Amino acid sequence: MVADYLKIDKLCCGYGRSFNLKDVSVSLKQGVFAGIIGPNGSGKTTLFKGISGVLKAKSGKILLQNVDLGKLKLGEKARRVAVVSQFPDAADITVEDYVLLGRLPYRQSFQFFESARDRVIARKYMQLTGVFRHAKKLMSQLSGGEQQLAAIAQALTQEPELLLMDEPTSHLDITHQVQILNLIQRLNRETNLTVLMIIHDLNLAAEYCDFLIMMNNGDVHTMGAPLDVLNYKNIEDVYNTVVVTQNNPLSGKPAIFLVSEKVLKEVQERYKRSE
Amino acid sequence: MQSRTIFWMIFTLVILLLVLAAALLSLTTGEASISLADIIPVLKEKEGMEYFILTEIRMPRIILAFAVGGALSLSGAILQGIFRNPLVEPYTLGISGGAAFGVALTIVTGMHFTIGMFMLPLSGFFGAMATILLVSLLGFLRGGTDIHKMLLIGVMISFVASSSMMFLMSVTTAENLHGIIFWIMGSLDEPNRLLIRITLFSSLAGLAISYLFARPLNALLLGEDKAGHLGINSRHTIRILFLVASLLTGICVSVAGVIGFVGLVIPHLIRLIAGSDYRFLLIGSFLGGSFFLILSDVIARTIISPNELPIGVITGMAGGVLFIIVLNKFRNRKQHGG
């Protein structure tokens, strides 16, 4: 295992002068399942866009096995890094065609049609994600969860070594949330696929990720194993919200409980009276 | 082979046959009716009135209709793809407005008497090029490709150009006015062989070049960022295709005037029937546009014979009505799970 598989070195990118990352440095090992967490406006998406290449780096660089991602050819990059965006693509194309677009990075010049191999690979990942039975349907006819699964099938069809996902489970019910994350976890374990995803839900982040990057104000607040990152101090510091943390009885991973204002006041009063 | 590929091949064959049929219809109908059986003997004879009508009048018109119809429809399909907007057509970006202004300026200043018959197409072409240059410069400025900005700029330039043209029309003589209006309405009556050849060659070249980008165009359907993640250089693709489409439009407008609706309606029809995969859409749109324009031309020159209607009248009316009918049919079928 290479120590620094993905090395983000003093990366600064953003939107004009209004918001920029503050020279973020992160190192990830190969085969890790990493999550980016943090409140709205903390720079999660900016960091994500910087890594996926949507935003150009103003300074600093991103090295994938010591190769500068910014200098890699787009086709070569797409064969190594796949991106699943937050909002699924509800275009008027069939699921099969949509997933097959994942083979674009592998096309030869003057190759207008997918090869038989391309079809086999697309079929494999459609079956794995469970969207194969919808293959002939239009993307726009699928539900949000199914569209997200198709988007993941497309990303996997690129056969990447690094998978970037922007909140793959937002606006999904718990069935789909767990289905998607279990699938990603399995691929991560079995194929050594490195995963980096933005995730809002701290409990899901704690349960599935083995490395967390907590962002705040365009900078990394804390990073490390979930147990080290997701303690009440860090969370209250970053989110300005009172929480209670305990460990999941089965997995031993931290679980976060929110406390309502009413309960909080009652607790405080009880505390005063006992004094 | 994929069943869809077979469907595409059959569909292509059908449109090709339709194009051929329309061409034969166009050859045989007109003031002097020449029957289908007579065509080959007449062509073999190589002389006489009928030979002259076929080779000097009708064939050039058919070839021009083929090229212009194909190129306009192709441009429409390309532009709708890169702007991800189904209402964009070749004239939305002000290319026709620029060309028309160029022609109007030439007619009003009397310059078209100086160089001869090349002057009008040339000035139309210069007008179109000036527009394309302006839209590209403003749109591609500072290395960006903000397609929404480009679209708005194009629409604004189109307004400015048509207002300027109306200004010219309001201050000029009745005779010039007639010339301008006649040009704007569009016509496939182009006696110059060289211009026809240029149009045919560039429309086919445009088809070939854009076909190289068929799969990137499919990816662009998902947006520029997503296409980028699939390894497509979106900016590069959009720029090249924008130039191809606008050059084609510029050439068509300067040779045949402003023939509307082909570029909007035909790509939509093909999309409704065969889906939005650009590997078929580009070829289908081209041939569909060719067929539509050849047929419209036959109608335009026979319906009030011996006079001739401006072809834009036919394309607009027939295209619009046809489109509404087809749209209703397909929408209904879709709703009923078809």
Side-chain angles (χ1 to χ4, degrees):
Chain A
M1 234 189 237
V2 191
D4 293 336
Y5 169 70
L6 179 73
K7 191 176 160 77
I8 300 164
D9 190 20
K10 292 185 190 136
L11 178 70
C12 172
C13 62
Y15 314 91
R17 281 180 202 162
S18 56
F19 184 83
N20 286 299
L21 293 180
K22 292 167 189 160
D23 294 350
V24 168
S25 293
V26 176
S27 281
L28 293 181
K29 287 178 182 164
Q30 186 157 27
V32 80
F33 193 151
I36 307 175
I37 54 175
N40 291 331
S42 60
K44 294 189 302 288
T45 303
T46 313
L47 175 62
F48 186 86
K49 284 185 175 169
I51 302 171
S52 64
V54 172
L55 286 176
K56 281 226 153 53
K58 288 178 182 165
S59 63
K61 51 192 166 186
I62 304 154
L63 301 171
L64 186 72
Q65 285 180 324
N66 294 322
V67 182
D68 191 342
L69 269 189
K71 285 177 187 147
L72 215 54
K73 276 192 177 170
L74 280 169
E76 168 71 20
K77 189 177 163 189
R79 287 192 284 271
R80 301 183 65 180
V81 184
V83 182
V84 177
S85 25
Q86 183 175 5
F87 298 104
D89 313 283
D92 271 338
I93 58 172
T94 64
V95 172
E96 184 182 24
D97 284 341
Y98 175 77
V99 173
L100 273 169
L101 284 176
R103 298 307 291 171
L104 268 180
Y106 295 89
R107 76 187 193 285
Q108 312 284 319
S109 32
F110 299 105
Q111 186 197 342
F112 298 114
F113 293 92
E114 293 89 2
S115 66
R117 197 179 118 77
D118 290 338
R119 294 189 174 281
V120 170
I121 292 169
R123 191 189 160 120
K124 175 178 150 195
Y125 289 110
M126 279 192 278
Q127 281 167 337
L128 196 66
T129 50
V131 293
F132 185 63
R133 61 203 164 95
H134 303 307
K136 300 289 175 198
K137 276 194 198 162
L138 293 179
M139 278 297 281
S140 49
Q141 292 170 331
L142 299 191
S143 74
E146 290 164 341
Q147 285 174 355
Q148 194 60 268
L149 283 167
I152 292 170
Q154 185 195 57
L156 294 175
T157 300
Q158 284 174 249
E159 303 204 299
E161 39 181 288
L162 173 64
L163 180 64
L164 302 173
M165 298 197 291
D166 186 357
E167 296 194 37
T169 58
S170 59
H171 52 252
L172 296 185
D173 59 31
I174 52 168
T175 318
H176 281 98
Q177 287 185 345
V178 169
Q179 183 191 1
I180 286 175
L181 290 176
N182 281 342
L183 171 73
I184 303 296
Q185 190 176 50
R186 206 164 67 233
L187 288 163
N188 170 255
R189 291 276 148 86
E190 288 168 7
T191 64
N192 209 25
L193 175 75
T194 309
V195 181
L196 177 62
M197 68 173 176
I198 297 183
I199 184 151
H200 248 304
D201 190 315
L202 296 178
N203 287 316
L204 287 176
E207 188 66 24
Y208 283 94
C209 299
D210 35 46
F211 187 85
L212 288 179
I213 303 160
M214 186 183 246
M215 299 288 295
N216 194 24
N217 294 327
D219 205 350
V220 175
H221 182 275
T222 322
M223 54 184 163
L227 271 171
D228 301 328
V229 176
L230 289 175
N231 53 45
Y232 78 94
K233 264 190 190 161
N234 284 339
I235 296 172
E236 291 182 357
D237 192 17
V238 167
Y239 288 89
N240 288 320
T241 308
V242 176
V243 294
V244 176
T245 58
Q246 244 172 31
N247 290 352
N248 181 321
L250 284 182
S251 65
K253 298 282 178 68
I256 292 97
F257 301 98
L258 301 171
V259 187
S260 74
E261 196 179 42
K262 181 172 157 253
V263 172
L264 206 62
K265 274 183 184 158
E266 284 168 10
V267 171
Q268 279 169 345
E269 276 170 25
R270 225 184 299 157
Y271 188 67
K272 270 183 205 161
R273 252 180 272 145
S274 68
E275 272 189 340
Chain B
M1 205 187 289
Q2 289 284 308
S3 61
R4 192 182 52 181
T5 321
I6 296 170
F7 171 70
W8 286 348
M9 286 164 77
I10 293 171
F11 197 6
T12 309
L13 203 68
V14 169
I15 319 181
L16 264 176
L17 287 176
L18 283 174
V19 170
L20 197 68
L24 287 177
L25 181 71
S26 183
L27 270 182
T28 51
T29 46
E31 249 181 283
S33 179
I34 301 168
S35 77
L36 209 55
D38 284 344
I39 290 178
I40 291 172
V42 167
L43 286 180
K44 270 187 182 159
E45 228 169 79
K46 294 196 179 195
E47 55 186 12
M49 191 62 187
E50 292 187 328
Y51 178 76
F52 177 80
I53 290 175
L54 281 186
T55 57
E56 296 297 317
I57 298 177
R58 289 185 189 164
M59 271 189 194
R61 271 187 99 109
I62 295 168
I63 294 171
L64 191 63
F66 175 83
V68 169
L72 285 177
S73 178
L74 177 74
S75 301
I78 293 174
L79 291 172
Q80 284 161 15
I82 59 178
F83 287 106
R84 293 215 290 155
N85 184 333
L87 290 178
V88 175
E89 55 139 354
Y91 302 149
T92 313
L93 294 169
I95 296 166
S96 59
F101 177 67
V103 168
L105 195 64
T106 310
I107 292 177
V108 169
T109 52
M111 281 199 297
H112 58 300
F113 296 120
T114 50
I115 318 183
M117 61 183 176
F118 271 117
M119 195 55 206
L120 280 190
L122 215 56
S123 52
F125 189 70
F126 281 135
M129 287 309 109
T131 317
I132 296 169
L133 199 69
L134 211 58
V135 176
S136 324
L137 274 181
L138 293 171
F140 299 153
L141 218 58
R142 280 175 294 179
T145 324
D146 187 344
I147 49 174
H148 301 293
K149 194 173 115 191
M150 257 167 79
L151 191 58
L152 286 175
I153 289 172
V155 172
M156 289 309 130
I157 289 178
S158 174
F159 279 128
V160 173
S162 52
S163 301
S164 313
M165 191 180 66
M166 270 197 263
F167 166 74
L168 288 180
M169 286 164 81
S170 63
V171 295
T172 191
T173 62
E175 189 194 342
N176 284 346
L177 198 61
H178 186 260
I180 295 173
I181 292 174
F182 190 74
W183 185 87
I184 291 173
M185 287 198 295
S187 161
L188 291 170
D189 193 13
E190 175 52 63
N192 190 284
R193 287 296 180 87
L194 179 66
L195 283 182
I196 294 175
R197 261 188 224 134
I198 291 174
T199 315
L200 180 67
F201 173 76
S202 25
S203 64
L204 291 174
L207 180 63
I209 295 169
S210 57
Y211 202 78
L212 293 177
F213 292 93
R215 288 178 80 185
L217 268 169
N218 284 342
L220 274 174
L221 196 68
L222 306 176
E224 286 174 62
D225 287 349
K226 186 73 210 186
H229 296 152
L230 292 169
I232 303 296
N233 189 338
S234 307
R235 189 176 291 176
H236 177 73
T237 307
I238 289 177
R239 284 184 185 187
I240 292 181
L241 288 174
F242 172 76
L243 283 181
V244 168
S246 27
L247 275 173
L248 283 184
T249 310
I251 292 169
C252 288
V253 174
S254 31
V255 174
V258 186
I259 300 174
F261 249 63
V262 186
L264 181 65
V265 168
I266 302 299
H268 271 291
L269 284 178
I270 303 292
R271 210 176 300 218
L272 277 173
I273 300 168
S276 48
D277 193 318
Y278 272 89
R279 285 172 291 190
F280 178 73
L281 191 59
L282 292 174
I283 295 177
S285 297
F286 188 100
L287 292 175
S290 297
F291 167 69
F292 181 67
L293 206 59
I294 295 173
L295 201 63
S296 298
D297 182 49
V298 176
I299 299 170
R301 47 192 186 84
T302 51
I303 200 162
I304 52 162
S305 174
N307 289 324
E308 188 184 320
L309 269 180
I311 188 160
V313 174
I314 305 295
T315 55
M317 285 202 233
V321 173
L322 183 73
F323 186 71
I324 292 172
I325 294 171
V326 174
L327 189 71
N328 272 327
K329 273 208 160 153
F330 273 78
R331 280 289 131 93
N332 289 343
R333 231 171 67 182
K334 250 188 191 173
Q335 272 159 15
H336 297 305

